[in-house]
Amino acid sequence: MQVTGSMRSTGSESWRSWGWRFHPNLLVTGRLHFPQLALRRRLGQLSCMSRPALKLRSWPLTVLYYLLPFGALRPLSRVGWRPVSRVALYKSVPTRLLSRAWGRLNQVELPHWLRRPVYSLYIWTFGVNMKEAAVEDLHHYRNLSEFFRRKLKPQARPVCGLHSVISPSDGKILNFGQVKNCEVEQVKGVTYSLESFLGPRTSTDDLPFAPATPCGSFRNQLVTREGNELYHCVIYLAPGDYHCFHSPTDWTVSHRRHFPGSLMSVNPGMARWIKELFCHNERVVLTGDWKHGFFSLTAVGATNVGSIRIYFDRDLHTNSPRYSKGSYNDFSFVTHANKEGIPMRKGEHLGEFNLGSTIVLIFEAPKDFNFKLKAGQKIRFGEALGSL
C-alpha cells in the first residue's frame, strides 16, 4: 500500500500500530482498511431505505461489531454508521415465534428409552428435586411439556395458615415493598410504570372496588380504603422450579386482562438490563378484591414460556398469532348469573407455566402490613410472604 508523506513516520512507522490514522479517502485501523468515500456513499444509500430494510442490512454488521475483538468495526462510526444497541438488538429477536416452536417441540412424545437420559440431564442442569414430584418415575412423562408441568406430592408444600398472604409459587424474591409514585421495582433500582403494567382502568361495573376521584393518580385509584397502602412482590421462577402457581390468599377474581407481547428472558440479570421488561413481555393480569380491598396476581411470560394457563379461564390463549403486540384483551368473570366473580381459597391451584417465569403480586393492605422476606431469598409455595 502506498502511503502519502503526511502519514509516514520517520523511524517508527507508527502508521502500522493499532489506532486511527487519517487519509482523505482511507480509514486505517490495524490491518483493516476502510475506503471512506465508498462507505459514505453506501451509508447514503442505506439512509434512503425503509426502516425495516435498514434494520435488516444493519443487523449483521451490528452482530459483528459486538463479537469481533479489538473494536475491528469501530472505524465505521467515523463515516456515520451506528450499531444497533444491545437492548434493541435483543428486542428484535423473534422470541414469540421461537417460543411457539419450542412449545411444539415440547409436545413431541419421546421414545421410552430416551426419556430417562433427557430428563436426567435437565434435572442435573437445573437442580430439580424429583423426590417432591407426585410421580418420580421419569418414564411416566411422555414429553418435556408433561415433565415441566409435573405435580407435587400433597405433603411437599404445606400451606401456612397463620399468615394472610403466602407465596403462590416456588421461586426467588426479586423485590417487595410499598408502591410509591406509581412506579414499581422489578429489581432494585430498575422500575416500571404501574399503569403500563396493569393497563388502564376498566369499567367500574366490572370491578369490585369503588371509582376514584378524577384527579387521583393511578395508584390512588387502586387504593380504595382510607389508611391503606399499595404493596407489591415479585417472584422469579427458575427453569428448575415447580411451575404451577396457586392462590396466595382468600380472594375473588373478577377480571382478566391479557397483554400479548414479547417473550424476553425475565431472569434477574435481564431484569436489571431492560427497563420495564415486565411491561414489554406477554402477561396475564388477574384482578379482584380480598378482605382489605384491591388484589391482583400477574403471570408474566418469558422466552419459551408462551403458554400461560389459568385453570378456570378456558377462553385464554397466550402467545397466539391472532393477537398483536401492543394491544390487550379483557374478560370479566362478573356476569348476571355470577355477580361476584371466581372465589379462590388460599393455596388453591390457579394456573401453570411451561418452563419458568415470574409472578407479580400488587395488592392493597393496611399500613401495618409487614413482609417477612429478604430480597434474593429462595421461597417455596405455601410459605409466608407477609401478614398484619
Side-chain angles (χ1 to χ4, degrees), residues 120-137:
S120 296
L121 177 62
Y122 186 91
I123 290 168
W124 176 80
T125 302
F126 297 108
V128 178
N129 184 3
M130 285 302 294
K131 292 183 178 180
E132 299 176 333
V135 181
E136 296 184 40
D137 182 12

Side-chain angles (χ1 to χ4, degrees), residues 223-245:
V223 178
T224 64
R225 302 183 186 181
E226 187 176 353
N228 280 1
E229 296 289 345
L230 200 63
Y231 298 88
H232 76 102
C233 182
V234 182
I235 305 170
Y236 166 68
L237 288 73
D241 287 329
Y242 167 57
H243 297 140
C244 295
F245 50 94

Side-chain angles (χ1 to χ4, degrees), residues 44 70 101 147 195 232 256 274 362 364 377:
F70 310 119
F147 180 73
E195 186 169 7
H232 76 102
R256 180 260 292 162
I274 301 179
I362 298 175
E364 175 185 1
Q377 79 171 70

Side-chain angles (χ1 to χ4, degrees), residues 229-297:
E229 296 289 345
L230 200 63
Y231 298 88
H232 76 102
C233 182
V234 182
I235 305 170
Y236 166 68
L237 288 73
D241 287 329
Y242 167 57
H243 297 140
C244 295
F245 50 94
H246 301 246
S247 176
T249 191
D250 296 335
W251 64 306
T252 301
V253 183
S254 58
H255 186 265
R256 180 260 292 162
R257 175 168 285 165
H258 170 216
F259 289 86
S262 300
L263 288 170
M264 294 181 282
S265 171
V266 292
N267 69 61
M270 196 62 67
R272 294 186 188 95
W273 191 31
I274 301 179
K275 181 178 174 60
E276 297 200 333
L277 171 62
F278 296 160
C279 297
H280 291 300
N281 270 16
E282 182 137 359
R283 60 197 182 278
V284 177
V285 182
L286 301 178
T287 56
D289 66 334
W290 69 318
K291 60 183 178 181
H292 299 296
F294 172 78
F295 198 95
S296 73
L297 180 148

